Amino acid sequence: DIQMTQSPSSLSASVGDRVTITCRASQGINNYLAWYQQKPGKVPKLLIYTASTLQSGVPSRFSGSGSGTDFTLTISSLQPEDVATYYCQYYNSAPRTWTFGQGTKVEIK
Amino acid sequence: EVQLVQSGAEVKKPGTTVKISCKVSGYTFTDYYMHWVQQAPGKGLEWMGFVDPEDGETEYLEKFQGRVTIIADTSTDTAYMELSSLRSEDTAVYYCATATGNPDSFDYWGQGTLVTVSS
């Protein structure tokens, strides 16, 4: 089985900072890698799919990159409304499974 | 507008079974898989399985095999997730979710259903 390791588990940054979250696969995967934002007490929201495609309506300060084993979610300028837990998620086609990373809690310093 | 509306919170005793519904509107139910995701209190997201409403095909995460059943009722555009032999560790919010864009990611989610397992 492919293992996904997300890091860091939490981070604290100032408003306006550039924030980077990483998801690493135990072996090379296709680009079926998505990122979600979950605010406290709320439903997860899709931010990025296929590693780098911004979901409609998501602010452009969010971006995704990577290929192979290493993928990154970047918030170019952290805003107070970005306080949330972020999850990566990988789709494996054989067998068909969808696996989430452990999550990264983002707070404002 | 795509909507996934789930049934309300449940309190169950250990060893019993819970069945949660997810009624969809705003798209053709049979066009996309319906998935279920578990989130224990203070924990992360875990995909449980899916049903293809077109033909009833299912796949489940090995961890839940034998205890979970996901079905789709195309007459009412409603998906169901049944979890049996409940134990305290099954206390969680359960979400239905679908992928109307790319099949690899979930763009629409239900509001979540809290299941509490307690004696």
Side-chain angles (χ1 to χ4, degrees):
Chain A
D1 289 357
I2 297 175
Q3 306 301 316
M4 302 298 291
T5 302
Q6 188 174 340
S7 62
S9 57
S10 65
L11 66 89
S12 180
S14 300
V15 172
D17 281 355
R18 183 181 186 88
V19 168
T20 299
I21 299 168
T22 298
C23 213
R24 174 165 291 167
S26 56
Q27 64 189 76
I29 64 174
N30 52 43
N31 283 353
Y32 289 146
L33 194 288
W35 292 95
Y36 298 84
Q37 175 193 65
Q38 187 178 32
K39 295 183 178 181
K42 301 296 186 183
V43 176
K45 174 186 175 182
L46 177 64
L47 298 176
I48 303 280
Y49 61 91
T50 320
S52 60
T53 305
L54 195 67
Q55 174 71 352
S56 175
V58 174
S60 59
R61 64 181 180 273
F62 291 94
S63 64
S65 63
S67 63
T69 59
D70 294 319
F71 298 85
T72 298
L73 172 70
T74 300
I75 308 173
S76 61
S77 176
L78 186 68
Q79 300 301 303
E81 60 266 32
D82 300 335
V83 169
T85 300
Y86 294 83
Y87 295 93
C88 63
Q89 172 250 304
Y90 162 62
Y91 166 63
N92 190 27
S93 58
R96 283 174 295 179
T97 56
W98 287 255
T99 304
F100 290 92
Q102 300 89 340
T104 296
K105 187 174 184 179
V106 173
E107 297 177 323
I108 299 290
K109 193 181 294 182
Chain B
E1 178 193 8
V2 173
Q3 286 194 314
L4 282 62
V5 179
Q6 299 183 221
S7 50
E10 303 260 12
V11 178
K12 292 291 185 179
K13 293 197 181 302
T16 62
T17 297
V18 68
K19 189 173 183 178
I20 303 167
S21 67
C22 173
K23 182 167 176 61
V24 313
S25 60
Y27 74 94
T28 302
F29 182 49
T30 51
D31 280 353
Y32 308 106
Y33 294 176
M34 182 61 71
H35 301 262
W36 289 85
V37 175
Q38 180 192 62
Q39 186 169 37
K43 302 296 184 183
L45 303 166
E46 186 161 41
W47 175 81
M48 300 176 69
F50 77 85
V51 61
D52 181 351
E54 176 88 56
D55 59 11
E57 179 192 16
T58 56
E59 284 199 27
Y60 305 123
L61 187 66
E62 190 173 344
K63 169 182 177 178
F64 297 102
Q65 286 271 9
R67 288 207 303 138
V68 69
T69 304
I70 300 174
I71 62 171
D73 182 347
T74 56
S75 68
T76 60
D77 290 351
T78 302
Y80 297 89
M81 189 280 291
E82 186 174 87
L83 188 62
S84 62
S85 302
L86 290 170
R87 38 214 190 215
S88 59
E89 310 89 88
D90 297 320
T91 294
V93 175
Y94 293 85
Y95 296 99
C96 57
T98 192
T100 68
N102 283 341
D104 59 308
S105 53
F106 310 136
D107 50 0
Y108 291 98
W109 295 67
Q111 82 274 23
T113 297
L114 175 62
V115 174
T116 303
V117 182
S118 174
S119 54

